[in-house]
């Protein structure tokens, strides 16, 4: 447009002085048309990209959840647990309690992880998991779980349990002397801080691999998807103590 209005028209007038050419638009009008169309096209493209990005992101999360759920038939599972629970009533209270704890954990994981949940629900899930795990660990006094919430808030589910599970797998190993697990979950204003530490065998190559493997990587991937630029994840090994600190800004 610029070359047309500045050079081409002048050149034509010079080459063909006997002809009269009519230019439909001035330079200013051409630029106005150009930028109007460009702005309109760019707006459409940005809206389209935004819609597609949100659609694919939601679809990706739903596919992951569906893949997890499809591995098991929930109704069959809960019916089976009810049968086991009914058989254990009056015979072994510890077994009955364990079945109920497992049932609560699985019900939460299968049915309540496709939407935002309350932090208090996540706390209840962790407590159920700890209670269930205590059934197979004799050193119960070495498990500590503390919570400090100024008020309840909504959060994406299943961000803390994988970290707790990792600690139980490798923090209460029988080969470790004086094992322990310490978990602290706090929320002040809009900042959630989850801290967990446990003793581990630093000479165990399998333990090292797991602590740096898929479980931790999946937690970080989920955080990057649902809380981009709103979280701080740190893991640290200090002698025989392994710790993870996760901070999430709910703003």
């Amino acid at each position: 447009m610029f070359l047309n209005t500045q050079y081409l028209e002048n050149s034509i007038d010079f080459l063909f002085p006997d002809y009269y050419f009519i230019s439909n638009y001035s330079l200013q009008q051409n630029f106005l048309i150009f930028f109007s169309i460009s702005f309109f096209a760019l707006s459409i493209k940005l809206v389209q990209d935004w819609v597609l990005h949100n659609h694919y992101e939601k679809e990706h999360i739903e596919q992951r959840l569906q893949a997890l759920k499809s591995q098991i038939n929930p109704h069959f599972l809960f019916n089976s647990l009810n049968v086991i629970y009914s058989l254990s009533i009056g015979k072994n209270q510890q077994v009955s309690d364990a079945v109920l704890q497992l049932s609560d954990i699985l019900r939460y994981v299968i049915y309540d992880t496709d939407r935002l949940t309350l932090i208090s629900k996540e706390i209840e899930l962790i407590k159920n998991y700890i209670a269930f795990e205590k059934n197979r660990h004799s050193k119960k006094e070495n498990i500590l779980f503390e919570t400090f919430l100024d008020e309840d808030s909504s959060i994406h589910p299943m961000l803390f349990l994988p970290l707790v599970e990792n600690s139980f797998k490798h923090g209460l190993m029988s080969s470790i002397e004086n094992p322990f697990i310490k978990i602290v979950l706090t929320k002040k204003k809009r900042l959630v801080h989850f801290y967990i530490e446990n003793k581990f065998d630093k000479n165990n190559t399998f333990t090292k691999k797991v602590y740096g493997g898929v479980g931790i990587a999946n937690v970080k991937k989920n955080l990057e998807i649902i809380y981009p630029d709103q979280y701080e994840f740190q893991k640290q090994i200090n002698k025989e103590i392994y710790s993870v600190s996760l901070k999430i800004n709910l703003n």
Side-chain angles (χ1 to χ4, degrees):
M1 291 185 301
F2 179 81
L3 292 175
N4 175 58
T5 56
Q6 295 298 314
Y7 298 103
L8 182 59
E9 292 182 4
N10 293 332
S11 300
I12 290 176
D13 289 338
F14 177 78
L15 294 173
F16 305 98
D18 297 331
Y19 290 87
Y20 181 73
F21 294 90
I22 299 176
S23 178
N24 293 324
Y25 300 104
S26 66
L27 177 62
Q28 292 79 8
Q29 290 172 323
N30 277 328
F31 270 104
L32 179 62
I33 294 171
F34 172 79
F35 283 113
S36 297
I37 295 175
S38 299
F39 178 79
F40 180 72
L42 181 62
S43 299
I44 293 177
K45 180 62 176 173
L46 289 174
V47 171
Q48 183 185 45
D49 287 349
W50 182 81
V51 171
L52 287 174
H53 172 75
N54 282 275
H55 171 73
Y56 287 131
E57 181 177 313
K58 182 179 179 181
E59 188 177 58
H60 175 65
I61 295 175
E62 289 177 349
Q63 285 176 349
R64 291 175 61 184
L65 292 174
Q66 289 301 324
L68 176 63
K69 293 178 182 180
S70 65
Q71 295 175 9
I72 193 168
N73 187 317
H75 298 292
F76 171 79
L77 174 64
F78 289 123
N79 288 336
S80 301
L81 288 174
N82 286 332
V83 172
I84 297 173
Y85 176 71
S86 62
L87 291 174
S88 66
I89 292 178
K91 298 178 180 179
N92 190 318
Q93 187 61 41
Q94 189 176 6
V95 174
S96 300
D97 292 342
V99 172
L100 281 178
Q101 291 155 3
L102 178 60
S103 178
D104 289 339
I105 293 171
L106 292 175
R107 183 179 290 107
Y108 183 87
V109 171
I110 293 173
Y111 292 120
D112 297 333
T113 57
D114 55 352
R115 58 183 179 272
L116 287 174
T117 187
L118 294 174
I119 298 178
S120 57
K121 292 289 186 181
E122 287 288 288
I123 292 175
E124 183 179 349
L125 172 66
I126 295 174
K127 286 181 177 179
N128 279 331
Y129 184 84
I130 292 174
F132 181 75
E133 283 289 340
K134 280 183 176 180
N135 293 310
R136 60 176 184 172
H137 295 288
S138 59
K139 299 178 180 180
K140 300 178 181 180
E141 68 279 3
N142 292 327
I143 304 172
L144 176 65
F145 180 34
E146 298 178 336
T147 60
F148 306 94
L149 305 181
D150 56 357
E151 62 180 358
D152 212 353
S153 295
S154 297
I155 194 171
H156 283 271
M158 296 296 292
L159 293 175
F160 309 130
L161 188 62
L163 302 176
V164 178
E165 187 180 5
N166 256 8
S167 287
F168 268 93
K169 284 181 179 179
H170 309 285
L172 295 182
M173 296 172 62
S174 58
S175 60
I176 301 176
E177 193 174 337
N178 299 321
F180 75 90
I181 295 177
K182 179 181 179 182
I183 309 170
V184 181
L185 175 59
T186 64
K187 177 192 169 291
K188 187 175 182 181
K189 295 183 179 179
R190 301 297 292 170
L191 181 64
V192 177
H193 186 198
F194 180 83
Y195 176 82
I196 183 167
E197 68 176 22
N198 60 266
K199 193 174 182 180
F200 80 109
D201 185 359
K202 61 181 179 180
N203 297 319
N204 190 317
T205 55
F206 174 75
T207 302
K208 289 181 179 180
K209 183 177 179 181
V210 171
Y211 276 135
V214 178
I216 298 295
N218 283 340
V219 171
K220 296 177 73 173
K221 285 180 181 178
N222 290 335
L223 288 167
E224 195 60 40
I225 291 173
I226 57 184
Y227 290 113
D229 302 321
Q230 292 177 250
Y231 75 94
E232 179 183 312
F233 186 95
Q234 294 179 333
K235 58 181 181 177
Q236 185 176 6
I237 297 177
N238 184 10
K239 296 181 179 180
E240 294 184 336
I241 306 299
Y242 179 88
S243 64
V244 171
S245 174
L246 171 58
K247 296 180 181 179
I248 301 175
N249 187 347
L250 298 180
N251 292 324

